[in-house]
Amino acid sequence: MGDTNPYLLNFKGYNFERSLVDVNLLENLDDFEVRDDDIFIVTYPKSGTIWTQQILSLICFEDHRYRTKHVDTMDRAPFLEYNIRSMDFLSRPSPRIFTTHMPYYLVPKGLKKTKAKIIYVYRNPKDVLNSFYHFSKVVITLEAPQDLENYMKAFLDGEVVGSVWFDHIRGWYEHRHDFNILFMMYEEMKKDLRSSVCKISRFLEKELNEEDIDAVVQQATFKNMKSDPQANYQSILKNEIGIRGCDAQFLRKGTIGDWKNLLTMDQSERFDRIFQRKMKDIPLKFIWDINEE
Ligand SMILES: Nc1ncnc2c1ncn2[C@@H]1O[C@H](COP(=O)(O)OS(=O)(=O)O)[C@@H](OP(=O)(O)O)[C@H]1O
């Protein structure tokens, strides 16, 4: 691909969103100081990132949970590599939440030496592809897909932000013992949000009572996030990132199996063959359909 792609910036073999990435930060990541009580959300794009940002903000900050202080979710859990609001990370009070799409080998080295916690959220890759395809059509910082066939090829070849989905999840899974990491599945969060919230808060060692859990769950549902300007990033998308057309949204459908409305039978079967080959030795569970257990 060379380094001439106007949308992708390749740094050490991984594709970042060129117009938003903080290259200075990338070059100094090894020295980035990680604190023991930092929390990192790690995802491949379109896997439930802003959802997890909202869940963690609600769990960790009482004033977010009970809405006594207005802070955008994005500022509670800012992206490390896409620091679009030029936040001073060093002066942020603990506990800091960071969000990243980076592969295991690019995150700050300090993440291995500290007790900092990582929550890795993964989603079935056909729904990731579907979500990414729709999002790429409407966001100006991403290359608009010509058609689905071309986009599926680009996705499978890793010529998208985040590079190859299979490499991202494999890398994090195979190196899981180097980190203090919890794997969460988007589909399980969708099917049982309450249990997922409890699982995350236990991992974070944050004691929540029943009323707190209710408040977290209620404000992390798709419906409520979609209508909550603090959580839906609608204004960020429109005013700080930039959109094509008027139907751009982070919270599009938020369901399981919407890929069936996009992929043809042939495309789906091709995808399955690649998935089976590339994931055969990764024992993570995947859910492809809303009715599947
Ligand atoms: N609360 C809640 N419940 C269920 N699903 C949710 C929720 N919040 C976000 N989403 C869905 O997550 C998809 C966006 O993924 P990301 O947030 O990872 O996108 S990004 O990488 O940060 O651009 C995108 O998926 P699609 O609707 O399939 O496009 C969002 O709708």
Side-chain angles (χ1 to χ4, degrees):
M1 169 189 333
D3 201 24
T4 52
N5 186 306
Y7 296 96
L8 302 178
L9 179 115
N10 193 283
F11 181 83
K12 298 190 180 172
Y14 175 82
N15 289 326
F16 290 88
E17 206 163 327
R18 182 182 284 277
S19 58
L20 302 181
V21 70
D22 180 346
V23 179
N24 185 44
L25 178 125
L26 295 186
E27 282 164 353
N28 294 290
L29 265 181
D30 280 357
D31 301 325
F32 186 87
E33 204 173 314
V34 178
R35 301 179 195 155
D36 277 343
D37 53 6
D38 282 344
I39 304 164
F40 282 70
I41 298 167
V42 181
T43 55
Y44 185 88
K46 313 319 290 177
S47 302
T49 320
I50 77 166
W51 190 10
T52 313
Q53 288 175 312
Q54 170 75 339
I55 293 172
L56 261 61
S57 304
L58 292 163
I59 291 176
C60 295
F61 303 110
E62 193 178 343
D63 56 8
H64 200 82
R65 194 158 63 241
Y66 291 108
R67 305 186 79 93
T68 49
K69 191 170 169 194
H70 179 99
V71 179
D72 284 346
T73 309
M74 201 186 69
D75 295 332
R76 300 273 189 188
F79 261 96
L80 189 59
E81 65 272 29
Y82 302 119
N83 186 7
I84 59 175
R85 289 183 172 172
S86 304
M87 191 177 273
D88 177 9
F89 292 151
L90 299 182
S91 66
R92 289 180 69 207
S94 293
R96 299 181 302 183
I97 305 175
F98 288 105
T99 305
T100 182
H101 288 322
M102 282 193 278
Y104 79 96
Y105 66 89
L106 283 183
V107 293
K109 295 283 165 279
L111 252 178
K112 288 189 180 174
K113 295 187 209 115
T114 57
K115 295 183 187 134
K117 295 184 165 71
I118 298 176
I119 296 177
Y120 185 96
V121 181
Y122 71 96
R123 184 181 192 185
N124 88 60
K126 288 183 182 171
D127 277 326
V128 171
L129 165 69
N130 180 36
S131 179
F132 221 165
Y133 175 72
H134 290 292
F135 197 65
S136 302
K137 281 188 187 171
V138 292
V139 174
I140 59 167
T141 56
L142 300 173
E143 183 169 13
Q146 290 168 20
D147 55 43
L148 177 61
E149 187 59 31
N150 274 293
Y151 189 76
M152 183 164 137
K153 182 175 181 328
F155 179 81
L156 292 168
D157 291 346
E159 287 167 13
V160 291
V161 173
S163 293
V164 181
W165 179 89
F166 298 98
D167 294 346
H168 198 275
I169 192 160
R170 170 179 292 278
W172 277 104
Y173 186 76
E174 288 185 341
H175 291 83
R176 66 194 181 283
H177 299 304
D178 297 340
F179 302 97
N180 185 4
I181 189 167
L182 173 72
F183 283 82
M184 294 294 300
M185 192 210 290
Y186 174 101
E187 292 77 8
E188 269 178 8
M189 289 162 58
K190 182 79 195 170
K191 282 174 173 283
D192 190 348
L193 183 53
R194 195 181 176 83
S195 299
S196 301
V197 166
C198 293
K199 192 169 172 185
I200 293 172
S201 62
R202 267 197 308 277
F203 175 69
L204 298 179
E205 299 169 83
K206 303 274 180 210
E207 289 292 322
L208 296 181
N209 60 34
E210 290 296 306
E211 186 196 351
D212 293 336
I213 295 168
D214 288 344
V216 175
V217 171
Q218 200 223 344
Q219 292 173 83
T221 60
F222 181 81
K223 186 165 164 275
N224 284 348
M225 277 183 65
K226 196 172 166 72
S227 61
D228 178 357
Q230 196 174 299
N232 65 20
Y233 295 10
Q234 217 40 40
S235 144
I236 297 168
L237 202 51
K238 198 164 161 228
N239 304 319
E240 297 174 53
I241 297 177
I243 57 176
R244 307 180 183 101
C246 53
D247 193 26
Q249 43 201 340
F250 272 96
L251 285 103
R252 194 185 54 91
K253 285 197 181 170
T255 190
I256 306 170
D258 189 49
W259 59 268
K260 292 179 187 173
N261 295 316
L262 184 76
L263 301 185
T264 64
M265 184 79 87
D266 174 62
Q267 285 166 332
S268 170
E269 286 176 1
R270 263 190 283 146
F271 199 110
D272 288 343
R273 283 195 291 276
I274 297 170
F275 181 89
Q276 274 145 22
R277 195 176 73 241
K278 293 212 179 196
M279 297 294 286
K280 62 176 182 304
D281 53 344
I282 304 282
L284 288 169
K285 184 180 174 203
F286 286 86
I287 292 181
W288 306 88
D289 184 281
I290 190 87
N291 298 316
E292 196 180 322
E293 281 306 306

